[in-house]
Amino acid sequence: MSAFGASIYALIDGALPSASRVSPSFDALFLALLLTCGTVVIGLAVVILIFLVRYRAGSPAPRPPLRIPPWKLETTWITATTLVFLVFFGWGAAIYARMAEVPDGAMMIEIVGRQWMWDARHGDGRREFAELHVPVNQPIRLRLTSEDVIHSFAVPAFRLKNDAVPGKRVDTWFEATKPGRYPIYCDQYCGTKHSEMNGFVVVETAERFAAWQARAGTGSDAATRGRALSVRYGCAGCHSGDTVVRAPRLEGIAGRPVPIENGQIVMADDAYLRDSILLPNQHVAAGYAAVMPSYACVVPEGDLLDLVAYIKSLAQEQPARPAP
Ligand code: HEC
Ligand SMILES: [Cu+2]
């Protein structure tokens, strides 16, 4: 690269660094589209200008009749442009597929969008607000959701942008390739302080990330918070066994098959636990009355993650479920 080319590149990289595994291929496509469209726009403008002057009314330029049949001309340009755009379509689809497929072994981080902050929860229960520490060269699976309205988690340096939708969990991923601090934005207008819903992804080397983990402590982990919440929301009142209401014990159900009302057996995975809290009448546990209230508009998304973590932490305990 020439010195001039290198400095142009440095300027662009300074304004918008390219710091993820997919960003070079994303940028190559973007540049190719820009060059193709730019060439067409400038080429057309030049031709229009030349024709304007050369064939102005009363100019002596010769105007011979067309020698090729018009249908040939039309078929040629329609075929040529279609082919060019099909190439871009295929190229874009290949990159999209790569961006949509989370690689195996990715580290899972849950992101909850909320008016107006980003709340990140690491696998070990650590929580961060408006900052997200990740190790370099490690694929990260982000599970996005929202507590209130639609937000969009965007990190331009990673060419990453994905909506966080209430009631849905959407997976996306990135792999940072350069240590540094990269801005996070909310890219979906979400109310008064939308423009302040920012943060930073802090990409660190493996050693510095480990040091950060040690410094940040384990904090109060998700399961501990969930235990406190299960008292606050009154779950324990029904589910702790020694109560008037007959409710199944929650020990030892997570990750195991559980019988439900219509004789079916379902796997008590994250989605089942979640649905049991939000839509308890969807799968009623076999042998129990459908008396559990729905917590759909009561438990915010962040608390739901903690409650599910708490029930999962009871997975190893003896199933204390009385025979129905
Ligand atoms: C009024 C009593 C009551 C309260 C309060 C209550 N539950 Fe339940 N829960 C039940 C009953 C009864 C069932 C079994 C019937 C059903 O599946 O709807 C149940 C089922 C469940 C299940 C499915 C268990 C299985 O074996 O399939 C889960 C998980 C659960 N509750 C979690 C919670 C959480 C978390 C809370 C608090 C946010 C909560 N419950 C609050 C009564 C209650
Ligand atoms: Cu937002």
Side-chain angles (χ1 to χ4, degrees):
M1 207 188 286
S2 68
F4 177 70
S7 52
I8 291 280
Y9 182 79
L11 196 72
I12 295 173
D13 197 54
L16 182 56
S18 152
S20 82
R21 196 57 72 202
V22 293
S23 54
S25 43
F26 187 103
D27 291 357
L29 172 63
F30 184 77
L31 198 67
L33 266 172
L34 196 69
L35 286 178
T36 310
C37 297
T39 312
V40 171
V41 167
I42 293 172
L44 270 178
V46 168
V47 169
I48 289 174
L49 276 179
I50 293 175
F51 278 36
L52 265 178
V53 175
R54 196 170 144 85
Y55 297 108
R56 68 188 183 280
S59 81
R63 295 164 167 83
L66 203 57
R67 272 189 307 268
I68 335 164
W71 69 264
K72 268 194 185 163
L73 216 59
E74 301 258 342
T75 341
T76 312
W77 77 255
I78 291 176
T79 316
T81 45
T82 308
L83 284 180
V84 168
F85 282 95
L86 279 179
V87 166
F88 280 119
F89 170 75
W91 187 354
I95 296 177
Y96 179 81
R98 187 166 158 224
M99 290 168 91
E101 180 92 26
V102 184
D104 293 335
M107 183 172 153
M108 162 86 133
I109 298 177
E110 279 169 310
I111 305 278
V112 181
R114 161 171 339 121
Q115 285 169 322
W116 288 276
M117 63 165 83
W118 293 110
D119 172 354
R121 289 139 190 269
H122 293 256
D124 57 5
R126 227 176 290 270
R127 258 175 104 174
E128 296 185 80
F129 295 97
E131 258 195 354
L132 175 60
H133 284 75
V134 294
V136 73
N137 296 329
Q138 155 76 48
I140 310 283
R141 176 195 288 270
L142 294 180
R143 182 156 287 174
L144 301 172
T145 187
S146 163
E147 215 150 79
D148 34 50
V149 298
I150 302 179
H151 301 277
S152 185
F153 187 84
V155 185
F158 300 162
R159 314 294 184 258
L160 171 79
K161 173 162 115 172
N162 225 312
D163 280 6
V165 183
K168 270 183 115 176
R169 288 173 305 158
V170 181
D171 281 11
T172 183
W173 73 283
F174 68 87
E175 180 182 341
T177 50
K178 282 183 216 162
R181 276 169 73 81
Y182 306 101
I184 305 172
Y185 299 99
C186 177
D187 264 7
Q188 179 68 55
Y189 180 66
C190 59
T192 317
K193 292 189 183 158
H194 163 65
S195 63
E196 291 169 32
M197 193 166 161
N198 305 328
F200 283 95
V201 179
V202 183
V203 179
E204 296 179 311
T205 56
E207 304 85 71
R208 293 204 47 190
F209 181 72
W212 171 78
Q213 277 187 316
R215 211 165 353 117
T218 45
S220 146
D221 72 6
T224 314
R225 289 193 302 267
R227 178 183 292 276
L229 289 172
S230 83
V231 174
R232 198 169 97 204
Y233 287 116
C235 321
C238 285
H239 282 285
S240 60
D242 48 343
T243 51
V244 192
V245 181
R246 246 177 104 272
R249 298 291 299 264
L250 301 176
E251 287 86 352
I253 63 163
R256 303 215 187 138
V258 292
I260 57 171
E261 203 185 35
N262 55 8
Q264 275 183 296
I265 306 273
V266 294
M267 187 53 110
D269 53 10
D270 283 26
Y272 173 83
L273 295 176
R274 211 184 143 78
D275 286 352
S276 296
I277 301 170
L278 297 181
L279 313 159
N281 293 340
Q282 196 175 56
H283 295 305
V284 175
Y288 293 93
V291 293
M292 174 163 160
S294 161
Y295 283 85
C297 298
V298 182
V299 178
E301 193 59 47
D303 289 356
L304 198 57
L305 292 173
D306 291 343
L307 282 169
V308 170
Y310 166 58
I311 300 175
K312 282 163 77 179
S313 75
L314 304 175
Q316 298 314 318
E317 291 181 29
Q318 265 315 305
R321 208 166 152 172

PDB file of all heavy atoms in Angstrom, residues 151 186 188 190 194 197, ligand 2:
ATOM      1  N   HIS A 151     -35.209  -2.312  21.536  1.00  0.00           N
ATOM      2  CA  HIS A 151     -33.932  -1.614  21.444  1.00  0.00           C
ATOM      3  C   HIS A 151     -33.111  -2.327  20.374  1.00  0.00           C
ATOM      4  O   HIS A 151     -33.490  -3.390  19.900  1.00  0.00           O
ATOM      5  CB  HIS A 151     -33.167  -1.676  22.768  1.00  0.00           C
ATOM      6  CG  HIS A 151     -33.906  -1.076  23.934  1.00  0.00           C
ATOM      7  ND1 HIS A 151     -33.904   0.258  24.195  1.00  0.00           N
ATOM      8  CD2 HIS A 151     -34.670  -1.646  24.895  1.00  0.00           C
ATOM      9  CE1 HIS A 151     -34.628   0.494  25.275  1.00  0.00           C
ATOM     10  NE2 HIS A 151     -35.108  -0.653  25.725  1.00  0.00           N
ATOM     11  N   CYS A 186     -27.513   2.274  21.155  1.00  0.00           N
ATOM     12  CA  CYS A 186     -28.833   1.717  20.899  1.00  0.00           C
ATOM     13  C   CYS A 186     -29.246   2.280  19.557  1.00  0.00           C
ATOM     14  O   CYS A 186     -29.256   3.491  19.362  1.00  0.00           O
ATOM     15  CB  CYS A 186     -29.839   2.113  21.979  1.00  0.00           C
ATOM     16  SG  CYS A 186     -31.482   1.478  21.581  1.00  0.00           S
ATOM     17  N   GLN A 188     -32.165   1.798  17.959  1.00  0.00           N
ATOM     18  CA  GLN A 188     -33.606   1.800  17.690  1.00  0.00           C
ATOM     19  C   GLN A 188     -34.211   2.828  18.625  1.00  0.00           C
ATOM     20  O   GLN A 188     -34.077   2.699  19.847  1.00  0.00           O
ATOM     21  CB  GLN A 188     -34.184   0.409  17.982  1.00  0.00           C
ATOM     22  CG  GLN A 188     -35.662   0.285  17.760  1.00  0.00           C
ATOM     23  CD  GLN A 188     -36.005   0.386  16.295  1.00  0.00           C
ATOM     24  OE1 GLN A 188     -35.470  -0.354  15.468  1.00  0.00           O
ATOM     25  NE2 GLN A 188     -36.857   1.309  15.941  1.00  0.00           N
ATOM     26  N   CYS A 190     -35.972   4.614  21.255  1.00  0.00           N
ATOM     27  CA  CYS A 190     -36.673   3.919  22.326  1.00  0.00           C
ATOM     28  C   CYS A 190     -37.139   4.848  23.427  1.00  0.00           C
ATOM     29  O   CYS A 190     -37.372   4.423  24.549  1.00  0.00           O
ATOM     30  CB  CYS A 190     -35.779   2.820  22.893  1.00  0.00           C
ATOM     31  SG  CYS A 190     -34.231   3.459  23.542  1.00  0.00           S
ATOM     32  N   HIS A 194     -33.003   7.857  24.607  1.00  0.00           N
ATOM     33  CA  HIS A 194     -32.440   6.916  23.636  1.00  0.00           C
ATOM     34  C   HIS A 194     -30.984   7.249  23.304  1.00  0.00           C
ATOM     35  O   HIS A 194     -30.133   6.361  23.252  1.00  0.00           O
ATOM     36  CB  HIS A 194     -33.302   6.956  22.381  1.00  0.00           C
ATOM     37  CG  HIS A 194     -32.670   6.385  21.174  1.00  0.00           C
ATOM     38  ND1 HIS A 194     -32.349   5.054  21.073  1.00  0.00           N
ATOM     39  CD2 HIS A 194     -32.262   6.965  20.019  1.00  0.00           C
ATOM     40  CE1 HIS A 194     -31.794   4.847  19.897  1.00  0.00           C
ATOM     41  NE2 HIS A 194     -31.712   5.968  19.248  1.00  0.00           N
ATOM     42  N   MET A 197     -28.301   5.931  25.607  1.00  0.00           N
ATOM     43  CA  MET A 197     -28.249   4.493  25.877  1.00  0.00           C
ATOM     44  C   MET A 197     -27.002   3.911  25.218  1.00  0.00           C
ATOM     45  O   MET A 197     -27.069   3.129  24.277  1.00  0.00           O
ATOM     46  CB  MET A 197     -29.525   3.836  25.343  1.00  0.00           C
ATOM     47  CG  MET A 197     -29.709   2.429  25.836  1.00  0.00           C
ATOM     48  SD  MET A 197     -31.366   1.879  25.528  1.00  0.00           S
ATOM     49  CE  MET A 197     -31.122   0.117  25.669  1.00  0.00           C
TER      50      MET A 197
HETATM   51 CU    CU B   2     -32.838   1.697  23.376  1.00  0.00          CU
END
